[in-house]
Each structure stands twice: as C-alpha cells, then as structure tokens.
Amino acid sequence: MPKTRPRHFFFILILIFLLGPIQNGTAQEKVGTIPLFTYLQDLEERFNVKFSYVDEDIEPLKIAIPESGSLSEILSWIQTETQLRIQKLNNRYYTIAQSPIIDICATVLDNFEQNTVNGATVKVLDSDVALITDVDGNFTMTDIPKDAILEIKHLGFKTLFIRARELIAKPCKKLMLAEFYHQLDEVIIHQFLTTGLTRMADGSIQMNTGDFGILPGLAEPDVLQTIQALPGIKSIDETVSDINIRGGTNDQNLILWDGIKMYQSGHFFGLISAFNPYLTDKITLIKNGTSAQYGDGVSGVLDMRTKNEISPTFFGGAGLNLIGGDLYGQIPLSPKLAFQFSGRRSLTDFLETPTYGRFVERVFQDTQVTSDNDFYFYDFTGKLLYDIDPDHKLRISFVNSNNRLEYQETNEDDFRSSESILNQTNVSFGGSWESQWSPRFSSLLHLYYTRYNLNAENSTANGQQNLFQNNQVLETSLKLHTRFKILEGLDWHNGYQLTETGIRNATDVTQPPFKSDIKGVLRSHALFSELEYGSKNGRFNARSGGRLNYITDPGTFDTFERFILEPRLNVNYALSEHLNAEAKGEFKSQVTNQVVDLEQNFLGIEKRRWILSDNDSLPITRSRQASLGLNFDHPKLYIGVEGFYKQVRGISTATQGFQNIDQFNGEIGQYDVKGIEFLINKKTKDYSIWAGYTFNVNNYTFPDIDPSEFPNNLDVQHNLTLAGTYTHRGFKLGVGLNYRSGRPFTEPDPEDPINTDFFPSRINFQSPNSSRLPEFIRADASAIYEFSLSPKLKASLGASVLNFTDRRNILNTFYRITDEGQIEAIEQISLRITPNASFRLRF
C-alpha cells in the first residue's frame, strides 16, 4: 500500500503565500483631507443646499473627501467620520450640530520610546464607565458625553486627563503618557537583553515576539531557544524538548499554549520548538513565586498566549528557511469577529539542506537509522475571536502538531525489507469567556481538551518480530478565575480548576510474546486564592496566596485520595530609585512524569513516555522553593543577583534518564539544588551586551541506593553566557559564547567491569555519577536585515550559524556490552557547525 503524507499542506501554504493579502476596496475612496468648513461650502454649490451650524463646532474639523456619491451618502459619511448630528429640515435646508453623545478611540503610548501601554485604566469621571487598554494599547468607548473627562492611568506613568471630544478624530488619536520614573523604572526593565524581552515587577520574564530583536544563533524567534539565554535555564542535551530550569527535568515544567497544557514541545526530536512564534503574542516565563492560579510544573512555568484582540484590517506574514516554511495571519470577518491561523511544515522529506544534514547527524548518531529515511513535521493553529460586547469576549483555540519518521531497510541477500514508523502527535482545543462585570469585578472561564499520542512500530525483514508501542495522554480541564478590586492597588483573585488526566502505555511484541496495556486516570479539584498589592508610589509590590488540591483516582477513591496545600509568595520592594530587592517562595506538585526509554529500545532512538503517579511505585512529585534577589536597574545598565534553594521529592530513577539501568530499578528519592544566578546587561539604543552566570550544586538522595547521595544527572555546576547584539537601521547582529562545566556520568568498574553471573551479562559500574564529561563550549552568531518592499509589505533576510568554531562537544557518555562480550563506550556529540538562512514577509 503506498504511503501517504500531508505534503499538500505545504504546497497550499506556498500558494497562499504567493497570492498574498487581498485587500477589499471600500465603497468610497479617500482622495485627500480638507477643512470641513470648506467642504460644506462646496456641497452647497454642487447640490444647491444650505447648512446651518455654529462655526465653533465646524472650524476645527477636517475630513477625508469621498470621491463620489449622492448627497445623502456624503452626509452619512460626514456623520460617521465626525460624529456630528445632521438633520434635514426640507429639500434645501439642513442643520449641523455637535452630538451630545459620541464614540471615541485612542492608542496609549509612553512618551519615551513610544511603546504601547497595555493594561492602562481608562475611566470616565463621574460615571461607572471604565476599561483597560488591550495588548496594543488601544481602547474604544461608545455613547460617551462629549464634554466628559477621561482619566487615563497606569502604574509607572503620570495620570492623563483629557476631554472626550478630543478623541473623536479618525484614525484614532495617539495619547502619550509621561513616565513617572520614581514609580516603575526600578521594578520593570523595558529592554532586557534584546528588544521584546521584559523583566516584570514580580520577577517573571515576558517575551513579545512582535518586538523581538535578535539573539546569537537565532535568525528567527524561537520561544524555547530564547529562554535559554537567561540564567538558570539550559538544555543539558541541546534540545528544546528538554529544558532544565534550576536543575529540574523537562517534564517538571508546565507549558501552556492559550491556557492549554502541552505534552509535546519539540519538532525534529527536540531541535526545533513546536510552537509557531508569529501569532504567539505574549510569553511569560516563571522560575519561582508562581501565582496560585497555576498548578503543576514543580520546576517552572512557560505561559504562551496568542494575539487576543481583533484587528480591523488583515495582517499576516510568511517565511521560508532551510528546514521548512510557514504562514500566519488574522482575517477580520466583522468588527466583532476575526479568525487567526498559522501553519508550518518541514521540507525534510523531499529536500535535503545543509541544516537538515547537521540535524540528522545530531539526532540519529549511533542509531540504526541512516540518512535514507522519510521524516517530516508540521503544525497548524486556529483561533476564533468574538467580542460579544465591550465587556464580554469569547475565544476558541485549536492546535495540532505532528512528527513522523518512516524508516525502511532492505536485506541485500533476500531483498526483504523491515519497516519502522515513529509518529508523535498533539491535538488540542480550548475556549475562554472573559467578562468585565463591573469596573471592580471580572472573570475568566476557560476549558480545554488535549490529546497527545506517541506510536512506535517496527517489523523485521523476516517477519519474526513485530513491535508496537503506544503512549497516549487525554486531558480535560475547566477553570474559573475571578478578580475583584478591593481598593486602588489591591486585587483579590479566586478560582477553581477541575482537571482529569488519563494516560495509557501499551506494548505488544510478537517474539518473544509480550503484551502490556496499562491505563490510569487521575482527577484533580483545586481551589486557589491570593491577594495582589501594588503601592501608589510603585515601590512595593506583593502577591500572596495558596492553592488547595484534592487528587483522586476515580476508580479507587479508597486507595488514592490526597489533599495538598501549596502556599505561594512573591514580594518586591524598591530600596531606592534604581535598586530593589525581591523574595519569592512556593510549594507545588504534579501527577504526570516522563519515563525515558533508553537507546536500545527502538532503532537506538530515545523516546519519552508520559506516566501517572499511582501513589505507590511513583508518588506525587512535590517541590518547595525559596529565593532572594537584588536588582539594580538603570535605563542603560542592569545588574541582578539571585540565590535560590529548591527541593523536589517523589522522583523515580525511571524518570531521570539513568543509563546504568541494571543498577537503578525505579527507586524513589529526591533532589536538592541550591545556587546563585548573576546577570549584568549594558544596553543602549544601538547595542546590548550581557554576561550571565549560574552556579549550583544539585544532588540526588535515594535511600535504597548505595551510596544514597550522589550528583544529579543535571548537575552542571558552572554555566556562563557572554553575548552581544548590535542594531543599526534595518541591520541586526548577534554574537555569543556559551560555556558550561561537564555533566556527571557513571563509568564501569575498571577492576571488575563485567558481571557474568547474569544472562545476559551486566556491567559493573562505579559509584553513580562519580565521573564528569569535559566542558561544553559553543559560539553562535546571527544576522538579520529588514527592509520594505512597499508601504504595506515588509521583508527580512536572516542568517545564523550554531557552533561556528565547529567544536566537538560531548553531551553524554554511556556504556553497553557488544555481541563479542566487550564493553563499548558510546559518546553523544553536540551539533557541529550548523548554518541556517531565512526569508520572511510581513503584510
């Protein structure tokens, strides 16, 4: 039977890309603007009519002239553009007057770098009418008294007062807020390392891909690659699917996309992020001091949100690099309805590029898979945005991602072939209803369904053995989050979350016969509550609360029933204009973990399978963490230092990736990591230079192993980053150097390396993790040139090189016994020199 692949998806993207945006013309084209007073005189002569009005109401106004139309159409156009009230007295005489009720709009910007100010409060004085600006700093109000006074304020800016009548003009007026330097500059960094990265008052990091500048090694933004530029975050095996935050494993991170928990984070076996960045508007990274609204993720939280506001016009973009192509956009269907979409597909199954060649070398080294394989990936997303009214918004999101490897090997003697398939998919749906019930009370109702599936199939050439493995995760969740403004600067958050997670692990082997099908379901009820306070002078910000989890197995309430209380704290205090201190702490838990399949299991390719805690062989994983930090933030210089301690209990050796598996057989223990993070960043308008350093000591404790305490597999004690970026007009350049000390590994016992008392023979190892690999050093560079093809069509050319010194870095070393009964050392090598190039369009 012929194999089928969704190649047509990529060609559809190219077709849409070539067609470009189609813009509909309006019924009346604008050909210039003149004073309304002059235009009315012209209308009087053309149509033999007379207008009666007060000069003061007309003289300040200008209007875009319609090219053609009847008098009634033109007058209707004038009313729409100026919000004047035009009344017909008879066939010749009309009156024009200011309407007492008007519609207004504006965009709020800061007057320093003209960045949009999202979340600013806009209140009509002497009324209950109030709202906040959207992510682009925009706001719109209808039926507002023309003489009403608006109060516009935001923490860190001076309050602005303006009359409603001044905001009638179209396009919407830009309002500049003056920064109040003594309030906010010491707790928020507007440009952190590169443009688009912001350090918030609570210590979290926000990334805005629309404003993203450049980082070394990245010609295009990649969410999971970008966060590795920050202290305390790295990938021990150089993949984005194995992000280690303060010594934790990747499965201990909570990754959310539009509020949906993601169980797949990488493409191409983890070398590329599975999340298209071009509609991902705001990404929040939290290492500690997490809000009580978040469950799971004992190591860190990565919360990705797509664009959430309706644009009145179409926008989009497309791009192509040496791995794949993508397309994205938002289509306005009406003033209240819009549709977002994005799609990305690899070229890897029909075009081999130098970048693809390097990726293949990295992923399939020391495996049975050769370059003669059929591999591809794709992802696409959709989002429907519906503004029911100004106070109620409905959003529906969808995401699908897929990785597929097909490998066929033919026996030269009898021409019989063996076939192997590895398929990884994630399909998720989510919906939210956001409501502003009053100026003080708002709510967010969110629900989602996600399905993750990993299938591995292998049939030998002689048909003697067929292997099938399946890992499936099904999860549904409902969450209600309310916010009540008790006083100015004091908010009370409350909520409830119901989550049900089912995981299946199945294995079927024909020779020798073996079948296993393990299914489990856990249900979690969580109540959370916290207070959030910000002082009027901006010097003190605090968030404190907790989360109460009730976790059960629906089928066995009597054997698995747990209550877990998780307090959370986040405090930030400005000691002076540029110096502030912060203290954070949290207790967290999670019921999902990943078992690491070793290299020998399937074609030599490592796979990770999700499993559920069962309160027996794998307990609920729980963590507690505390940190203290001190930050100096000047507009051109940032210096930050933070010390932390984290303990994670209830971990299994099966989830930690040990490769001396004969010694470790699912023992339960914990790890403790303590360390310090340091970052210095010198920045100007044209360049940014930084150095980041992390020192930590990370140790396991397993009571049933001798010795019981030894270094963690992720115990990289020294991690240093030196980098810089330079921007001049449309040109951006980034160069960086990454250094880290070697990770621990376990060597065989040199005196007695092989134990022949077992069949098959086993390796006798030394004390666990008693040896260390050489240090890791990698230098990266990237460059981007942005230019305009037309007023509405922007383009960019990008190039990047990973490891441009072509250094041979050893990521891991493990041992196995050959067919000849000898011990063989296997070294996994990092990416060698890896170029990439891209071309992008924005319209």
Side-chain angles (χ1 to χ4, degrees), residues 252 298 621-623 646-651 669-672:
Q252 294 172 355
V298 297
T621 305
R622 303 177 65 175
S623 73
K646 181 170 69 173
Q647 181 186 82
V648 179
R649 296 169 292 160
I651 64 171
Q670 68 180 50
Y671 70 81
D672 297 78

Side-chain angles (χ1 to χ4, degrees), residues 270-285:
L271 294 178
I272 300 171
S273 169
F275 309 107
N276 192 321
Y278 293 103
L279 280 177
T280 306
D281 184 56
K282 185 178 74 172
I283 301 118
T284 303
L285 171 70

Side-chain angles (χ1 to χ4, degrees), residues 73-308:
E73 290 175 333
I74 293 174
L75 295 181
S76 177
W77 171 265
I78 293 174
Q79 288 188 103
T80 302
E81 290 294 295
T82 65
Q83 298 190 49
L84 294 169
R85 185 173 58 185
I86 302 177
Q87 183 177 0
K88 182 178 181 179
L89 301 180
N90 54 43
N91 290 335
R92 191 179 182 200
Y93 289 94
Y94 294 80
T95 62
I96 303 177
Q98 289 269 359
S99 174
I101 303 297
I102 57 176
D103 297 337
I104 60 174
C105 66
T107 300
V108 181
L109 307 170
D110 74 69
N111 67 354
F112 178 61
E113 293 185 343
Q114 294 195 16
N115 296 318
T116 57
V117 181
N118 65 308
T121 302
V122 183
K123 179 177 175 58
V124 180
L125 297 183
D126 299 324
S127 76
D128 293 331
V129 178
L131 50 73
I132 60 174
T133 57
D134 63 22
V135 293
D136 297 318
N138 302 320
F139 74 89
T140 301
M141 288 182 166
T142 58
D143 299 332
I144 303 299
K146 69 175 183 179
D147 292 324
I149 297 177
L150 273 65
E151 177 191 63
I152 304 173
K153 60 182 179 179
H154 190 282
L155 186 64
F157 295 91
K158 295 180 180 179
T159 301
L160 174 67
F161 297 93
I162 189 170
R163 288 197 177 273
R165 67 171 66 183
E166 298 180 44
L167 304 180
I168 297 176
K170 292 186 178 181
C172 300
K173 189 173 183 178
K174 293 182 179 180
L175 302 178
M176 302 295 180
L177 293 187
E179 292 191 69
F180 197 91
Y181 294 100
H182 294 283
Q183 291 184 17
L184 199 59
D185 278 355
E186 62 268 25
V187 295
I188 291 185
I189 302 165
H190 291 286
Q191 183 176 326
F192 186 68
L193 305 188
T194 187
T195 55
L197 281 179
T198 305
R199 191 178 192 278
M200 307 304 291
D202 63 358
S204 65
I205 304 297
Q206 283 195 5
M207 175 183 172
N208 187 319
T209 56
D211 297 329
F212 185 74
I214 191 172
L215 285 176
L218 294 180
E220 298 177 286
D222 185 298
V223 176
L224 298 181
Q225 293 281 9
T226 298
I227 64 175
Q228 295 182 53
L230 303 170
I233 303 175
K234 62 180 179 295
S235 173
I236 198 72
D237 62 1
E238 210 178 33
T239 68
V240 298
S241 59
D242 192 11
I243 299 295
N244 314 122
I245 299 178
R246 288 184 172 174
T249 53
N250 185 76
D251 59 332
Q252 294 172 355
N253 300 324
L254 174 63
I255 300 178
L256 299 173
W257 182 87
D258 271 356
I260 305 170
K261 185 176 180 180
M262 294 284 103
Y263 285 90
Q264 177 184 343
S265 59
H267 285 315
F268 213 135
F269 299 93
L271 294 178
I272 300 171
S273 169
F275 309 107
N276 192 321
Y278 293 103
L279 280 177
T280 306
D281 184 56
K282 185 178 74 172
I283 301 118
T284 303
L285 171 70
I286 307 170
K287 293 187 283 187
N288 188 19
T290 312
S291 167
Q293 65 171 300
Y294 294 106
D296 292 330
V298 297
S299 275
V301 175
L302 185 65
D303 189 355
M304 295 172 284
R305 305 283 173 168
T306 58
K307 294 184 183 297
N308 204 44

Side-chain angles (χ1 to χ4, degrees), residues 809-825:
N809 291 301
I810 302 175
L811 298 176
N812 191 22
T813 298
F814 66 97
Y815 299 86
R816 65 190 179 194
I817 299 178
T818 66
D819 294 337
E820 292 76 26
Q822 302 296 316
I823 293 180
E824 180 184 20

Side-chain angles (χ1 to χ4, degrees), residues 6-19 327:
R7 294 184 178 177
H8 59 278
F9 176 74
F10 180 76
F11 294 111
I12 292 173
L13 293 184
I14 293 179
L15 179 61
I16 300 175
F17 169 81
L18 293 175
L19 290 176
L327 177 74

Side-chain angles (χ1 to χ4, degrees), residues 263 473-476 499-503 520-523 591-592 612:
Y263 285 90
V473 181
L474 299 176
E475 183 169 284
T476 56
T499 304
E500 183 171 285
T501 306
I503 296 182
V521 178
L522 286 182
R523 186 177 296 158
V591 297
T592 56
L612 273 176

